[in-house]
Amino acid sequence: MQATWLVFRREIGQYLGSPLAYVMGAAFLLLTGITFNNDLTLSIGYKPLAPALIPTLLASILILFAPLLTMRLLAEEQREGTLELLLTAPISDSSIVVGKFLSAWAYFTILLALTLVYQVIAVSISFPDISHMLGSYLGIWLYAGAALAIGTLFSSTTENQILAAFLSLVTLIVLYFGDAISQIVSNTQLADILFNLTLRGHFMASFAIGVLRAEDIVYYAGIIVIAIFIAIQIVSSRRWR
Amino acid sequence: MIEVKNLVKKYGNFTAVDNISFDAHPGEIVGLLGPNGAGKTTTMRILTGYMPVTSGEVKVAGYDVIEDSMEVRQRVGYMPEQVPLYPDMTVEAFVLYWARLRQTEKPKQRTQDVLEQFGLLDRRKKLVRSLSKGLRQRLGLAQALVHSPSVIILDEPTIGIDPKQVVEVREVVRSLRENHTILFSSHILSEVEQICDRVVIINNGKIVAEGTTDILGEQTHSGLALYVHIDGEKAHIEQLLHDLPAVTDIQLHESGFIIRGHDEELRHAVMQVVADHRLELLEMRPVDRRLEDIFIKLVN
Ligand SMILES: Nc1ncnc2c1ncn2[C@@H]1O[C@H](COP(=O)(O)OP(=O)(O)O)[C@@H](O)[C@H]1O
Ligand SMILES: [Mg+2]
């Protein structure tokens, strides 16, 4: 526990202390801000504000954003050799991986929380469905956890950060659009099953439209647990190589 | 403090460490000497709890490296071959991080102490990336010592730094001897001879010689070795030197010879020969090749 916290704290310090993190954070807020602003403009006369607007946008942005946020986590430790010091410190291998993953998720949580400013604006000028809105935030938060866990997993497989980012990007794209192949076979049952396996399927069909389902929460939590478990095994296996 | 018994380590089918046994006691600096690929790093990684053994029994600070890995790790200070650092941290934060991860009591105080010990106190707010090679080496030592380990494992700590810093590191290592058990690896013989009380020479994963630096020297040769360079035809000079009763061994070296024999007689005999045959003595100096001999003999 103690070690997880120490690793977490160092990593959060790295996120908040590096210029790159600020650039990414600024890009994140700019993108969400522009989208919100457009929606705001449309809301004058055309349609009401979309409560799940920003989380829905983030669902696709995260495909690229999660690999960028996590690629460094374990790959850099391997390249710099500091993983050898971590693995010879009196701490468990899992505390290293979990601490790192949680730091990425926490950093994302901070960025996500900043976009709540837009929601405050929305609430102050119109009457959006607040439970729909908050539900979609919960959804994207879980979704991000899963995407970041996958990024953490691939960061553990190599000492090359770019390769780690590429591998998680490909995996996330497959997990996001994976059901697209069902359009070729044109079997609605299969399409349904595949859709339910995708990251998108558990967000667009529920959180995004104001529905909270236990199965979606279980799906994202499951991905987090499995990805982190595998990452821990991979880090431990460094000892055997 | 370090007990290694019949240690074997295989990477797949390749045996990197082949049934070695040795030990090291408190207050002792033991040198692990061997050429590249001998198995030094592998041995050290096992001692630090980084990787498991294939077979054999390894105890550090009284604890089994496999069964009580955490106890061992808490009591070992380790500086890997390429000193691993976090370039974006400050010197102080870096040391404090390792102090805390290793559950050091009073981590802040200990951090100050080791920074002072290694002359890094005035640079504590500097980023690690801004340090010179020599200072990084000191930082590597600082992190290895911050949790007051009883066993210190240093993997080729003098590699890649300039000669002045090498001397500095050697002095630091000597100064740590009193309260610690130190295992020091190197492929440089003279260094091990200078620093270590005892040396374990390994090659291809096997121990080829072991003992105190003095005893090891005597095993191959007792007495004195001189390098002599006498002007004249090589074969003729060699014959003359060879015929001296004081000389027990002669071999070609650089532009002269290395001769061995018994103490002061040797020097005297050479002077005599030079005088008798009206030769010109260009150079004569004692050579300290005790361990080097063994090393070269054993390793080739
Ligand atoms: N992770 C590894 N996988 C396979 N072979 C390895 C590994 N690490 C070291 N070796 C091999 O084991 C031998 C001993 O290596 P090492 O312990 O690093 O030697 P040294 O530190 O004395 O130079 C070398 O032949 C090296 O190539
Ligand atoms: Mg080595």
Side-chain angles (χ1 to χ4, degrees):
Chain A
M1 250 347 262
Q2 167 82 359
T4 309
W5 167 243
L6 288 167
V7 171
F8 172 87
R9 219 173 53 172
R10 197 192 85 82
E11 291 302 328
I12 270 286
Q14 297 277 300
Y15 278 124
L16 300 178
S18 88
L20 186 69
Y22 283 92
V23 171
M24 287 205 288
F28 183 87
L29 287 179
L30 196 66
L31 215 56
T32 48
I34 290 170
T35 311
F36 176 69
N37 198 40
N38 288 342
D39 197 49
L40 215 52
T41 318
L42 283 175
S43 75
I44 306 168
Y46 289 101
K47 64 171 210 36
L49 280 176
L53 177 79
I54 287 170
T56 306
L57 170 71
L58 290 180
S60 45
I61 290 182
L62 270 166
I63 302 299
L64 183 63
F65 198 59
L68 291 179
L69 272 189
T70 50
M71 63 183 186
R72 211 196 75 248
L73 289 179
L74 289 151
E76 192 180 42
E77 298 271 4
Q78 267 167 73
R79 220 184 63 128
E80 298 288 327
T82 40
L83 192 65
E84 189 166 348
L85 284 185
L86 285 174
L87 291 176
T88 54
I91 60 176
S92 67
D93 298 352
S94 58
S95 61
I96 302 168
V97 177
V98 172
K100 283 179 174 271
F101 161 66
L102 289 180
S103 74
W105 204 5
Y107 175 68
F108 175 82
T109 306
I110 293 170
L111 293 181
L112 185 66
L114 289 176
T115 69
L116 283 173
V117 171
Y118 307 133
Q119 308 307 332
V120 172
I121 296 171
V123 170
S124 66
I125 61 172
S126 87
F127 304 95
D129 181 343
I130 291 184
S131 59
H132 181 176
M133 187 185 88
L134 291 180
S136 69
Y137 265 76
L138 171 68
I140 201 63
W141 183 71
L142 289 170
Y143 175 110
L148 294 167
I150 287 165
T152 307
L153 164 59
F154 284 104
S155 184
S156 75
T157 60
T158 168
E159 58 173 48
N160 182 338
Q161 293 186 36
I162 306 298
L163 180 62
F166 177 76
L167 292 174
S168 34
L169 179 67
V170 170
T171 307
L172 287 175
I173 287 174
V174 169
L175 274 177
Y176 189 79
F177 294 115
D179 62 317
I181 48 163
S182 62
Q183 295 181 350
I184 303 166
V185 288
S186 69
N187 175 335
T188 47
Q189 261 179 332
L190 181 67
D192 205 37
I193 292 170
L194 287 176
F195 188 63
N196 266 312
L197 286 174
T198 61
L199 282 168
R200 185 164 63 126
H202 287 271
F203 184 77
M204 298 306 179
S206 52
F207 294 113
I209 55 171
V211 177
L212 279 190
R213 296 184 306 191
E215 59 185 89
D216 303 317
I217 296 173
V218 169
Y219 171 83
Y220 292 125
I223 288 190
I224 293 173
V225 169
I226 291 167
I228 295 304
F229 177 79
I230 298 172
I232 293 168
Q233 302 313 308
I234 291 173
V235 167
S236 298
S237 77
R238 297 275 154 209
R239 299 177 182 283
W240 298 88
R241 281 184 251 163
Chain B
M1 268 297 170
I2 297 177
E3 298 163 67
V4 177
K5 248 188 241 152
N6 306 110
L7 170 62
V8 176
K9 175 69 191 182
K10 291 184 179 175
Y11 294 113
N13 286 330
F14 176 73
T15 307
V17 173
D18 194 359
N19 199 19
I20 69 171
S21 304
F22 67 91
D23 45 28
H25 308 288
E28 193 175 42
I29 305 179
V30 172
L32 202 54
L33 179 65
N36 281 333
K40 304 183 294 294
T41 299
T42 301
T43 305
M44 290 183 145
R45 284 182 162 174
I46 288 167
L47 289 170
T48 53
Y50 178 73
M51 44 170 63
V53 304
T54 301
S55 69
E57 198 182 315
V58 180
K59 280 189 172 178
V60 176
Y63 293 95
D64 188 284
V65 285
I66 296 180
E67 265 146 47
D68 297 306
S69 181
M70 291 298 170
E71 303 291 336
V72 169
R73 294 191 223 169
Q74 204 143 32
R75 289 166 177 77
V76 172
Y78 178 37
M79 182 156 102
E81 201 164 343
Q82 254 110 32
V83 183
L85 301 169
Y86 293 120
D88 292 327
M89 280 178 115
T90 65
V91 168
E92 185 175 40
F94 179 77
V95 177
L96 187 57
Y97 180 59
W98 293 110
R100 289 199 167 125
L101 273 183
R102 297 180 190 133
Q103 292 128 42
T104 312
E105 272 176 49
K106 300 199 185 132
K108 284 196 173 145
Q109 186 55 50
R110 276 299 298 161
T111 299
Q112 295 305 306
D113 291 350
V114 289
L115 288 181
E116 186 163 10
Q117 184 180 356
F118 293 103
L120 290 163
L121 205 52
D122 52 335
R123 292 187 180 80
R124 65 184 187 278
K125 299 289 180 205
K126 291 243 155 61
L127 285 184
V128 170
R129 68 161 77 254
S130 72
L131 296 187
S132 68
K133 200 104 209 283
L135 290 180
R136 285 175 191 217
Q137 212 77 5
R138 286 202 230 160
L139 186 57
L141 286 167
Q143 69 72 28
L145 285 162
V146 71
H147 53 301
S148 312
S150 49
V151 175
I152 303 171
I153 295 182
L154 307 170
D155 197 358
E156 309 218 20
T158 58
I159 215 165
I161 54 176
D162 70 42
K164 193 169 145 264
Q165 293 158 347
V166 169
V167 173
E168 213 178 87
V169 169
R170 288 179 189 164
E171 268 165 19
V172 168
V173 174
R174 291 293 299 182
S175 74
L176 294 173
R177 176 160 69 153
E178 237 168 85
N179 305 309
H180 303 93
T181 306
I182 303 176
L183 188 66
F184 179 106
S185 81
S186 177
H187 63 270
I188 305 164
L189 170 98
S190 57
E191 171 168 281
V192 169
E193 216 169 358
Q194 273 174 39
I195 301 181
C196 304
D197 305 301
R198 227 145 46 75
V199 55
V200 175
I201 303 180
I202 63 172
N203 188 37
N204 292 327
K206 290 192 175 72
I207 294 188
V208 287
E210 191 196 344
T212 65
T213 38
D214 302 335
I215 289 175
L216 271 181
E218 275 163 26
Q219 275 175 8
T220 40
H221 237 287
S222 53
L224 186 71
L226 288 177
Y227 170 75
V228 290
H229 185 190
I230 299 171
D231 199 23
E233 196 214 333
K234 273 268 155 73
H236 176 60
I237 308 284
E238 181 168 9
Q239 192 57 50
L240 287 178
L241 290 173
H242 189 83
D243 290 344
L244 292 175
V247 174
T248 56
D249 181 46
I250 178 163
Q251 71 195 81
L252 218 60
H253 182 76
E254 290 165 17
S255 40
F257 301 93
I258 286 183
I259 55 169
R260 292 163 202 285
H262 299 291
D263 306 332
E264 292 312 308
E265 280 173 61
L266 196 60
R267 226 179 270 267
H268 203 254
V270 173
M271 296 307 287
Q272 198 65 52
V273 142
V274 168
D276 288 353
H277 295 82
R278 299 185 176 278
L279 296 166
E280 196 182 348
L281 181 61
L282 297 175
E283 193 180 356
M284 175 159 73
R285 59 181 156 85
V287 283
D288 187 19
R289 288 175 46 94
R290 297 169 305 171
L291 267 180
E292 198 154 357
D293 273 344
I294 314 177
F295 196 48
I296 290 166
K297 251 185 221 164
L298 294 172
V299 164
N300 291 334

